[in-house]
């Protein structure tokens, strides 16, 4: 299988399906994963097979490397559309995440004020007030909610420790109206069990959760790269478009990535 581990603390820029020219900020080690989920579809591979040995980058290292990269891009005549906290796991696990957000905001304002700041998060840390406060200071807090079915999340997203989807929905509601919800939709099977979350049994409760949360946008997407677990399949364009229309019928803008 072919999986990706990103350099740390800065990588790219890359062209994102959803965000444009994105300069990545990886607050996790550069040699493996550090995540509170262990998703069967993760492009970085499974946690047990990608254990990190390097330390987390420090706040100072992140700021220095980001400044250097932004200055180099300016010299090249390239400007990022977005500075994206992403990489080899869950960025909000970094103990200095709130302070690093402030550093990145300052560097953005100084060197590329037109760029947005985004965070791609699995939402597991939104119960922590300091994390929610930090996320309120970025332009695009993009928070995962693949379903509101606890059994599905345990089988597919495989959270470490306690996870209660009802608590996650409430925390995301508290982040509204700035919060963006992202949802991976797929079909296929793993270990002889269906992973299809595009049917009504999943969609109906998920749509009700979106109504409760009141996000400013929903991003739905499907598998784009090889997955560490075989048998997972892309959701079709027709299915994704139909789901997107149902989201928009709630009065919530929805982007669809195939």
């Amino acid at each position: 299988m072919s999986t990706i581990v990103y350099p740390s603390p800065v990588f790219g820029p890359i062209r994102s399906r959803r965000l444009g020219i994105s300069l990545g900020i990886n607050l996790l080690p550069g040699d493996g994963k550090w995540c509170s989920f262990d998703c069967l579809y993760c492009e970085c591979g499974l946690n047990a097979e990608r254990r990190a040995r390097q330390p987390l980058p420090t706040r100072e290292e992140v700021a220095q490397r980001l400044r250097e990269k932004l200055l180099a891009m300016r010299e090249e005549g390239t400007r990022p559309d977005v500075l994206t906290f992403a990489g080899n796991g869950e960025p909000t696990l970094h103990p200095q995440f709130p302070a690093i957000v402030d550093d990145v905001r300052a560097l953005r304002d100084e060197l590329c004020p037109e760029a947005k700041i985004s965070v791609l998060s699995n939402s597991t840390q939104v119960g922590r007030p300091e994390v929610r406060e930090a996320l309120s200071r970025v332009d695009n807090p993009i928070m995962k909610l693949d379903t509101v079915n606890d059994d599905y999340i345990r089988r597919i997203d495989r959270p470490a420790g306690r996870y209660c989807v009802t608590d996650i929905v409430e925390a995301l509601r508290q982040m509204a109206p700035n919060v963006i919800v992202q949802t991976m939709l797929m079909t296929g099977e793993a270990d002889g069990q269906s992973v299809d979350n595009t049917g009504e049994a999943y969609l109906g409760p998920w749509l009700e959760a979106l109504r409760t949360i009141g996000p400013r946008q929903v991003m739905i997407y499907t598998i784009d790269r090889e997955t560490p677990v075989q048998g997972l399949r892309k959701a079709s364009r027709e299915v994704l478009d139909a789901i997107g229309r149902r989201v928009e019928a709630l009065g919530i803008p929805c982007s669809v990535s195939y």
Side-chain angles (χ1 to χ4, degrees):
M1 72 192 68
S2 176
T3 52
I4 300 169
V5 174
Y6 293 95
S8 179
V10 176
F11 64 93
I14 61 175
R15 180 164 289 280
S16 165
R17 285 186 294 170
R18 291 172 286 170
L19 303 174
I21 299 175
S22 172
L23 183 62
I25 302 169
N26 179 16
L27 301 187
L28 295 312
D31 66 336
K33 286 185 65 184
W34 187 302
C35 197
S36 47
F37 268 180
D38 191 17
C39 299
L40 300 184
Y41 57 78
C42 181
E43 66 182 15
C44 296
L46 301 178
N47 292 355
E49 298 168 359
R50 292 287 194 177
R51 294 199 184 280
R53 290 172 173 79
Q54 296 175 1
L56 297 173
T58 66
R59 173 185 179 181
E60 293 74 21
E61 288 172 334
V62 174
Q64 178 181 347
R65 292 286 297 278
L66 181 59
R67 175 179 288 277
E68 291 170 353
K69 184 63 177 180
L70 289 174
L71 288 172
M73 290 178 69
R74 174 185 282 184
E75 287 294 318
E76 297 165 359
T78 303
R79 298 293 177 91
D81 296 315
V82 61
L83 309 177
T84 307
F85 287 89
N88 302 335
E90 174 52 36
T92 63
L93 289 173
H94 196 293
Q96 294 180 299
F97 176 73
I100 292 172
V101 165
D102 291 338
D103 292 342
V104 171
R105 280 167 50 94
L107 285 167
R108 183 274 307 272
D109 293 348
E110 176 188 352
L111 297 173
C112 54
E114 70 283 359
K116 303 297 186 182
I117 299 173
S118 296
V119 176
L120 300 181
S121 172
N122 64 23
S123 303
T124 58
Q125 305 302 304
V126 291
R128 297 165 52 198
E130 68 274 20
V131 169
R132 284 201 308 278
E133 173 61 26
L135 289 168
S136 75
R137 300 196 296 274
V138 305
D139 300 294
N140 301 314
I142 304 172
M143 314 302 292
K144 175 175 290 297
L145 186 68
D146 286 344
T147 175
V148 292
N149 183 294
D150 276 307
D151 177 68
Y152 185 95
I153 292 169
R154 284 193 295 271
R155 289 191 300 110
I156 310 304
D157 295 337
R158 305 195 299 175
R162 180 184 180 276
Y163 181 96
C164 175
V165 71
T166 302
D167 293 345
I168 298 296
V169 169
E170 172 57 23
L172 295 179
R173 186 191 67 80
Q174 293 179 35
M175 293 176 61
N178 190 44
V179 67
I180 298 170
V181 170
Q182 64 165 346
T183 298
M184 165 66 80
L185 295 163
M186 60 183 178
T187 64
E189 64 177 36
D191 296 326
Q193 290 186 289
S194 172
V195 301
D196 189 339
N197 62 337
T198 66
E200 190 59 33
Y202 292 105
L203 290 180
W206 174 75
L207 288 165
E208 283 303 311
L210 294 180
R211 192 193 305 272
T212 297
I213 294 166
R216 79 164 197 258
Q217 182 183 355
V218 171
M219 296 178 170
I220 61 176
Y221 64 116
T222 192
I223 295 167
D224 186 46
R225 300 184 176 94
E226 187 173 355
T227 60
V229 173
Q230 301 304 301
L232 313 183
R233 300 286 180 264
K234 292 173 71 76
S236 72
R237 181 183 294 262
E238 293 75 19
V239 166
L240 292 174
D241 284 342
I243 295 170
R245 288 193 293 271
R246 293 183 68 179
V247 173
E248 291 181 337
L250 298 177
I252 305 170
C254 184
S255 66
V256 181
S257 300
Y258 307 106

